[in-house]
Amino acid sequence: MHELAVCTLRTKSGDVDGHVVSFDAGVLVLEVDDPVEDREIGDAASVTVLDPVRGLCRYVGLLGGTSGTAVQLVVLERGVPDQRRSAARALYRTACTGKVESPSGVAGVSVTVVDISASGVRFVTSRSLSRGDVVRFPMPAGDTTVDLAARVLRVEEGQHEWRYGCELVDLDDRTRETLFRLVLSLQRAAARERSLAAW
């Protein structure tokens, strides 16, 4: 379970990213990006795994040993997955220009994305759209750009703009994976900010 899923290991020494090698008999084996320093067997630690199927999973336990970038966590407590992959969502603000396809035709539209997941997007725009309209636009995603097609499902009217909840349609596996990794990086950044704020 979780093999090759990306993860973050948290100890008193700080956070380090990596991936899961295996999870068997209550022992989570990780390969991390940087060696864990100043930690010993039995020290408390936690792992957050973003599994492609199960979503965001959290584990709390004790370090069972470290060797270079290989780390073992003896799991004492398992958190309930709180997001499926398709629902893993993160705040993300970026302006995009595209086209809206509606029964009345095709027209240009400017939108500001406010959050994103691997299967949906929310954006705001000054243009009035209807449920079922499809907005196609290129969106920055890390060091690349993805072409998205968003079908409007929910409409929230504001004073000067509308907010739309959309499902992403016509997604290929590569685009979905790019979005998933974008969401993961955004969630990690937000977690680091919360951690720094707590200090």
Side-chain angles (χ1 to χ4, degrees):
M1 184 172 66
H2 298 321
E3 282 79 3
L4 299 181
V6 291
C7 66
T8 299
L9 172 69
R10 172 167 291 183
T11 70
K12 290 183 179 179
S13 300
D15 295 356
V16 61
D17 297 332
H19 68 271
V20 176
V21 176
S22 65
F23 186 20
D24 186 50
V27 177
L28 196 56
V29 179
L30 315 174
E31 181 70 25
V32 294
D33 296 343
D34 299 298
V36 177
E37 299 178 346
D38 302 322
R39 297 291 95 201
E40 299 179 354
I41 292 176
D43 284 348
S46 64
V47 175
T48 301
V49 180
L50 195 49
D51 187 276
V53 176
R54 293 169 56 85
L56 194 65
C57 302
R58 296 184 177 90
Y59 300 92
V60 177
L62 304 175
L63 292 179
T66 62
S67 177
T69 56
V71 178
Q72 294 182 353
L73 179 79
V74 179
V75 175
L76 300 178
E77 180 181 339
R78 301 187 189 190
V80 176
D82 55 10
Q83 291 181 324
R84 292 179 295 120
R85 172 178 175 147
S86 62
R89 182 174 295 276
L91 298 177
Y92 184 52
R93 193 167 185 89
T94 185
C96 306
T97 302
K99 296 180 179 180
V100 56
E101 301 171 355
S102 67
S104 60
V106 178
V109 64
S110 295
V111 303
T112 300
V113 173
V114 293
D115 69 40
I116 186 73
S117 77
S119 63
V121 64
R122 284 199 304 165
F123 59 74
V124 296
T125 179
S126 59
R127 184 184 181 93
S128 176
L129 304 176
S130 301
R131 290 180 181 84
D133 287 353
V134 174
V135 180
R136 297 183 184 274
F137 58 93
M139 187 191 77
D143 57 359
T144 189
T145 299
V146 291
D147 292 318
L148 301 180
R151 179 185 292 123
V152 175
L153 297 180
R154 295 179 304 280
V155 181
E156 301 173 25
E157 187 174 351
Q159 288 185 330
H160 305 291
E161 61 186 11
W162 286 265
R163 183 184 297 260
Y164 298 95
C166 307
E167 65 173 342
L168 296 176
V169 297
D170 303 330
L171 278 179
D172 57 37
D173 289 342
R174 184 174 182 179
T175 300
R176 190 182 300 275
E177 187 64 29
T178 298
L179 292 175
F180 187 58
R181 292 190 176 277
L182 172 64
V183 170
L184 174 64
S185 67
L186 292 169
Q187 289 181 332
R188 284 175 170 169
R192 290 191 187 101
E193 289 181 7
R194 289 193 299 269
S195 178
L196 290 173
W199 285 97

